[in-house]
Amino acid sequence: MTQGKTFTEIRPRFVVDTPPFMHRGYTVNAMMRDMLIALAPAAAAAIWQYGIEAFRVMALAAGICVLTQSLWEKALGRQSRVFDGSALVTGVLFAFLLPAGAPWWLVATGSALTVILGREVFGGIGCNPLCPPLVGWAAMTVSWPVYMDPTAVNLSSSLLDPLIRMKYYGWTALSQGSEMALLLGGQLGGLGSAQIAAVLAGGLYLLVRGVVRWEIPAACLAGVLITGAVFWRFGPAMGIGPASAPPPHLYLLTGSTIFVAFFLATEHSSSPVAVGGMFAYGLLAGFLTVLIRIFGMYPDGAPFAVLLTSLGTPMFDLIRAAPFGGKRS
Amino acid sequence: MASVWKEFSKGLWAEIPPFRVVLGLCPTLAVTKSAENGIGMGLAVIFVLVLSNALISLVRKIIPKKVRIVCFIAIAATLVVAIELLMQAFTYPLYQQLGIFVPLIVVNCIILGRAEAFAAKNPVHLAIADGLGMGIGFTVALTFLGSLRELLGAGQLFGHAVMGGSFKPFTIMIEAPGAFIALGCLLALMNCISIVSARRAGKEPSVNAGGCGCGCCEVKQ
């Protein structure tokens, strides 16, 4: 060390780069291709159910996301990352949360906000503290709740929104034995997120391909089931009417719980990196989902629950094993 | 006279309180739901800031060094009570809109900051010029932020609908998150303008490109 210099005056002599230092050849492109394959069944089911309307929303959202990102990178003089496919996937994920009849200006504004506010202002892919589609979704839900309400924008549809029925008439208002229909997408909701069986198939594909780890979805669904079971069993004793505390499996079969647990809660840069943190994160998200559904103002709690839980990711990241050769911090 | 102008004008752009020195963010974020609220809050701050700077500058030689903060706060609190009573008497609807944020001017960091950094060290005429400039800068900033949020979030400007009938208000902008989004965008815009104008003048931009400023982790442009 040179005499008479403080530590900060000495420039580093080695080029220090950020991790990863080792990889197995699985690129962002390949990962995004897997995401698109996983999203395909639900997209097909949405188009089968809503027709060209669903295709219109998905295509517009994906197109605006890609366009916004390329314009943003051009304006800031950054290296273009449009071709890694992440903007495309973000757009489709955002579209899955929208109702099929969403007006074009809502889809366009929401997609642009998803890319800019959700990700690019923080530095692009891998730097976002929150899941980008959820940021766009939250801004749209707070601003234009009427146009985000599936019942209000799909007037011609003969399907019902089970979340609204459960909220205002109690879960007993759902017809007996409707679980199978709900599972196969016979419900009004986000155009892709309500196709429960197709989304589940896509989620399992992601697990098999190793795009997401099983811990977060499992913990998330366990959190929903456990909290739901507690309220179902002990709700009346706590002063909650039996009609507002449905049996736990109904939380999974309605709204976007499954979609959020597999596709959004697992978003790589906004979820914890270590196993302990993943379990805590998932359980908390599931717990909050049920709380918002029972007590909250918004019928579908899952997106807000994950958005809130992601804010705690830096805290969950503190739950981790000691680094090799180091002390537990 | 030149020095008076210099002290006055620095608050208008070079050190404009909420955007450049990022002071007084509590009222900046909380009351700027509409342009009218912004201007009202700004005027209240001008009143308190000019008078507190003048008073503190007058008594700066007799305040003991050790208890100066208490003296500054006492002077500011007296003035804030005065403006609060005046607002209750003459502009009651505005007073109700601003609510708790009028009394909170007492602990506004701009008031205390200018008292400590400027008024306690300079003669009265300079202190008044400084307070007036900072106050006007604060008012302009709040009115601008308020107009922006009101325009997008409610489609109005000073309470008049200006965006046409087919405009669907982007409600999040007048909610709390909208304040942060709008302020963040404006700060980015200010930095952008400074960088461009510095480059045009042929100087190295003074805005830090990133990192902690130690030079080791700066982002390469």
Side-chain angles (χ1 to χ4, degrees), chain B residues 41-64:
Chain B
M41 186 72 199
L43 290 178
V45 168
I46 291 184
F47 175 88
V48 176
L49 191 54
V50 170
L51 286 181
S52 82
N53 261 13
L55 284 175
I56 288 164
S57 179
L58 278 174
V59 297
R60 69 183 189 280
K61 299 225 171 90
I62 50 176
I63 295 178

Side-chain angles (χ1 to χ4, degrees), chain B residues 165-186:
Chain B
S166 60
F167 178 72
K168 304 277 188 296
F170 188 35
T171 324
I172 199 169
M173 290 307 284
I174 53 169
E175 307 283 342
F180 288 94
I181 295 172
L183 183 69
C185 292
L186 283 178

